[in-house]
Amino acid sequence: MRTYPFAFLLSILLFLAACTGTKKTAVNHDDNQLDFTVLAMNDVYEINALSGGRVGGMARVATIRRQLLRENPNTFTLHAGDCLNPSLLGNLKYEGQKIKGRQMVEVMNQCGIDWMVPGNHEFDLKRNELQARINESNFHWVVANAQENLEDGTKKPFHKDLPQGDKEYFPKYTEWNVTDKDGTVIRVGVVAVTIPFDVKKYATITDPFAAVGKALKEMEDCDVIIGLTHLNWADDVKLANQYPQIDLIIGGHDHYNMLKKTNHANVTKADANARTVYVHRFHLDKKTHQVTIDSKLKDVDTSVEFDPLTQKIVKKWEQIGEQAVAAAGIDPNKVIATLKRPLDGREIAIRDHATGLGQLIAKAMLAASEQGATSAIFNSGSVRLDDYLEGDITGKDLMRVLPYGGPIRDVEMEGSLFKQVLDAGRANRGKGGFLQHANISYNSKEQKWYIAGKPLQENKKYRTVATSYMLQGREGGLEFLNPKNPKLKIFEHDKDSVLEDIRKALAVYLEGMD
């Protein structure tokens, strides 16, 4: 019998191991370690890819999820809120009713979302619209600080109507078991909260910190706790510091990616519209029960293929959208103007500083003035494009930029109020209440505002153009700007005026450009 040196046999074994090592399984590399994965996204309003198909797209998210499941069957997909509104598609009509997120729910069902916390924009919908979307969803909803106000004056958790007539009430938290190949079981808990704000009368949103604290008392048997939140960044960090039991916070609402490691947790958010997603790989030591988390931000771009089944649904709704735009009397493909350079409408930009798109819209508002306004202001949250606007601009593009639409108004306000408005807008940097404007500038060295090139005088009256939304006190930090303010005068206009819809004013302005 022929014998071989030990080193030679070892090299053969290593070679065979390398040949089989490319096949991914759910087997842990360390028998003393249990692994599971969480795929997370937030604030997704567009079902299709953006920037000419280069970034985003729920069909790409579906592919990422499928890849993660092959790597580890113990993979869960969570959504940190805001998907049903706003979008161009959501504000169009199909089968006699406004779509209002129907397209998003169908795509999310196919994509494979497991759990979602409602964001503030879910409550933009009327009660019956929201209930219809919940009923259509195959995924589960969870929230600890939101209840439905019933017509008899009582409050109950929101619910899903099940086919057999039962109701599936939204839990305050959810728990599931993760089982390893050797039978080891760990308990994973998810507690969810949404941001308190002025919502529809059918909903009550309570303090998220108190709600989390109460829920955690009932989750003491959990080995891992995840916070699924739709809060602003400061409150996410505060929540992590206040409750060290939480291992990870998957956040939404802020629209751009963030990561902070506290003493006890990773606090994370991905970019809006699925430009990125977060992949959290959990590793739990079976002996010590110590948890480590590897949180990686993943770009959703052309390196990821579209999942064909999800993309088929996306294309269906895109076609429905084009037909609905045309039915509304707008030619979706008619070229209104051709831009000489791209204009930045990304939320990370337009909510932070003056951009080309923001200035274009503000100039169009100013040009529409019927009362001799010398400036214009609007809240950057009105713009929902989250992309660059470039090349040929069509009717469909204008509706994508400003899906809310709505009137703009000539107003007259005292200088002291004008300064208060501009200061509040500046303080809203990073939020939808950050103001874009025309013929207004700020000198940071002097800490002074200039209107039409001259210093703002608090004892002088100014005429400007603003969105009706802002003038109703509905923007965060600008609640004082409302019809009851004695320092504000709002002018009326004819129904056929371009002031009746900001998109109409923008279209007229674009048509007049050279």
Side-chain angles (χ1 to χ4, degrees), residues 15 89 125 133 146 162 190 199 215 222 236 282 290 347 370:
F15 172 76
L89 262 173
L125 276 62
R133 300 296 85 80
L162 300 177
V190 177
V199 296
C222 290
D236 274 330
F282 286 76
Q290 182 177 352
E347 289 182 351
E370 298 174 352

Side-chain angles (χ1 to χ4, degrees), residues 124-424:
D124 289 344
L125 276 62
K126 296 177 182 177
R127 186 199 299 262
N128 65 314
E129 294 170 336
L130 177 57
Q131 189 63 59
R133 300 296 85 80
I134 293 170
N135 293 346
E136 292 160 4
S137 63
N138 294 339
F139 48 88
H140 302 285
W141 301 71
V142 56
V143 63
N145 67 326
Q147 286 191 309
E148 183 178 7
N149 301 327
L150 303 181
E151 293 181 359
D152 63 4
T154 61
K155 302 179 190 296
K156 282 190 176 181
F158 284 89
H159 71 276
K160 181 190 296 187
D161 291 316
L162 300 177
Q164 62 269 33
D166 295 332
K167 297 182 186 297
E168 180 182 288
Y169 288 98
F170 291 11
K172 296 177 182 178
Y173 61 91
T174 183
E175 298 180 357
W176 61 71
N177 291 334
V178 176
T179 305
D180 198 12
K181 57 181 174 53
D182 64 0
T184 302
V185 178
I186 65 167
R187 194 78 169 154
V188 178
V190 177
V191 57
V193 286
T194 194
I195 189 168
F197 59 101
D198 185 18
V199 296
K200 293 281 195 300
K201 292 182 179 180
Y202 64 74
T204 294
I205 313 294
T206 60
D207 176 58
F209 296 93
V212 169
K214 186 175 180 180
L216 288 175
K217 292 179 180 178
E218 302 175 20
M219 301 172 67
E220 293 180 351
D221 62 336
C222 290
D223 300 283
V224 177
I225 294 179
I226 298 170
L228 183 63
T229 70
H230 195 83
L231 304 173
N232 62 51
W233 178 245
D235 282 342
D236 274 330
V237 175
K238 179 180 176 182
L239 191 70
N241 288 326
Q242 184 168 332
Y243 296 109
Q245 306 99 306
I246 298 175
D247 300 288
L248 170 70
I249 289 182
I250 295 170
H253 192 62
D254 285 295
H255 288 213
Y256 43 92
N257 74 79
M258 301 178 181
L259 168 65
K260 181 179 178 63
K261 295 187 177 183
T262 69
N263 290 334
H264 308 282
N266 289 356
V267 184
T268 63
K269 297 177 194 271
D271 293 284
N273 282 325
R275 290 177 177 273
T276 61
V277 291
Y278 251 108
V279 178
H280 305 284
R281 291 180 173 87
F282 286 76
H283 312 293
L284 184 137
D285 189 295
K286 297 176 185 178
K287 294 180 179 179
T288 66
H289 279 225
Q290 182 177 352
V291 178
T292 58
I293 308 170
D294 179 22
S295 298
K296 296 285 189 189
L297 187 72
K298 180 170 179 58
D299 292 325
V300 183
D301 55 22
T302 54
S303 66
V304 182
E305 294 181 354
F306 291 114
D307 172 70
L309 293 178
T310 308
Q311 190 66 2
K312 183 179 180 180
I313 297 173
V314 169
K315 291 299 183 183
K316 181 193 84 169
W317 280 105
E318 290 281 304
Q319 186 177 7
I320 290 170
E322 289 200 5
Q323 294 169 350
V325 169
I330 298 171
D331 185 345
N333 300 311
K334 179 185 176 183
V335 177
I336 299 170
T338 301
L339 297 180
K340 297 178 181 178
R341 59 185 179 85
L343 300 179
D344 196 347
R346 295 172 304 149
E347 289 182 351
I348 194 172
I350 205 164
R351 296 183 178 208
D352 179 78
H353 56 266
T355 72
L357 182 57
Q359 291 175 332
L360 174 69
I361 296 169
K363 288 177 181 178
M365 293 170 61
L366 181 55
S369 172
E370 298 174 352
Q371 300 291 336
T374 57
S375 62
I377 54 175
F378 76 95
N379 52 313
S380 60
S382 301
V383 177
R384 292 289 171 164
L385 180 67
D386 197 22
D387 202 352
Y388 285 95
L389 191 67
E390 55 188 321
D392 291 340
I393 307 305
T394 65
K396 182 179 178 181
D397 290 322
L398 295 190
M399 296 185 74
R400 285 181 60 227
V401 171
L402 297 161
Y404 288 127
I408 54 177
R409 295 294 183 90
D410 274 300
V411 300
E412 183 177 86
M413 65 176 78
E414 294 183 14
S416 57
L417 175 60
F418 204 2
K419 181 180 183 301
Q420 187 182 4
V421 169
L422 294 173
D423 286 342

